[in-house]
Structure formats: structure tokens, C-alpha cells
Amino acid sequence: MGQYRMQRLNDQLRDEISKLILHGDVKDPRVNTFLSINRVEVTSDLGYAKVYVSSFLTDGDLKHGVAGLNAAAGFIQGQIAKKMRIRQFPKLQFIVDVGMKEGFKMVQKLNELEREEKQNAQTENAADSADSNTDSEEETK
């Protein structure tokens, strides 16, 4: 399958799995509607598909949710296979993806460093202006 067609298949699988989770079709109690499908990578022989799942829930809840999705993988495959017309439907494997959460933490750290830098610059400016005021007072005497 060509590169473009594989990307289209990956995107379509991601959308269909997301819809099943969002609509509550997966009845496993571990599967939460706050789980988000980041990306899907289908192998070139259409044998397997890695589905990367993330969430802003706690790490434990995310792992339980992924375990629930892996338990319901057969059901999800069957529901999506009815909608899609492909020669062979890939076996789904759900994987925890912490990249989004790590990226969010990194942005928070960068914002915190930026705030500290602004505070340091303001205190330096205040100290410099106080020093220049005392210097000008001494010059006038």
C-alpha cells in the first residue's frame, strides 16, 4: 500500500476507534471517555496496528483504561471491520502514550522559568533605579 493510503488508513482507524470510545460503545468499565487516541500505526502487511492512547488522567487510570481497551480489542475490531472495506483488518494493540503529558509538563516548566526570569529582571531594574537615585542625590550635594 502506498504511503498516502497507509496514512489515510491510520487516520480513519484513529477516528473510528475514537468514536467508539466517545459514544460509550465499549462497555468495559475501565474504558473512560477521557481516553484519547493520539495516533495509529498499521504495519505494511496490514497484520497489526499499534494504537497509542493518552489522557490527562492519572497514570494508573490510563494503564487501566489501556488494559480495558486491549481486552475489548476484538469487539472494536469487529465493529470497525463492519464499516471499513479492507482486504485484511489489522489486529489492534493498544499502547500507553505519555508523550502528550510529558510535553505539557515541559511547557509548564518553560513558562515557570520565563516567569522567574521576568521577576529577576524586574528586581534588577528596581535595584538599578534605586542605585541611580542615590547616585544622583549624592551628585546634587
Side-chain angles (χ1 to χ4, degrees):
M1 216 180 250
Q3 179 76 20
Y4 178 71
R5 289 182 66 193
M6 287 299 290
Q7 184 60 42
R8 241 182 24 196
L9 177 63
N10 291 338
D11 292 342
Q12 190 174 9
L13 283 173
R14 185 192 68 219
D15 293 342
E16 292 296 329
I17 294 168
S18 296
K19 285 178 189 175
L20 284 174
I21 292 171
L22 186 63
H23 292 286
D25 294 338
V26 181
K27 300 296 184 195
D28 194 310
R30 297 174 287 186
V31 177
N32 194 332
T33 57
F34 291 113
L35 295 176
S36 121
I37 307 299
N38 287 350
R39 68 182 191 275
V40 176
E41 293 177 356
V42 179
T43 58
S44 60
D45 65 349
L46 299 179
Y48 295 93
K50 291 182 181 178
V51 182
Y52 294 92
V53 182
S54 70
S55 177
F56 283 110
L57 299 172
T58 63
D59 290 337
D61 289 341
L62 178 60
K63 288 178 184 176
H64 287 301
V66 169
L69 286 171
N70 278 319
F75 169 76
I76 295 170
Q77 287 170 211
Q79 292 296 311
I80 298 173
K82 290 176 187 175
K83 296 179 184 179
M84 296 176 61
R85 295 200 179 264
I86 56 176
R87 178 176 48 92
Q88 175 185 353
F89 196 85
K91 182 178 182 335
L92 300 176
Q93 178 185 10
F94 294 91
I95 300 170
V96 174
D97 186 11
V98 294
M100 190 166 71
K101 190 179 280 189
E102 293 297 321
F104 183 72
K105 288 179 184 177
M106 184 64 67
V107 168
Q108 284 181 327
K109 288 178 183 178
L110 289 172
N111 288 339
E112 184 178 320
L113 287 173
E114 188 175 317
R115 279 192 301 265
E116 288 177 5
E117 186 175 308
K118 284 182 182 178
Q119 287 175 347
N120 289 340
Q122 287 175 353
T123 55
E124 286 178 8
N125 288 340
D128 289 344
S129 65
D131 288 341
S132 66
N133 287 340
T134 57
D135 290 342
S136 63
E137 287 176 11
E138 289 176 7
E139 290 175 4
T140 57
K141 291 182 181 180

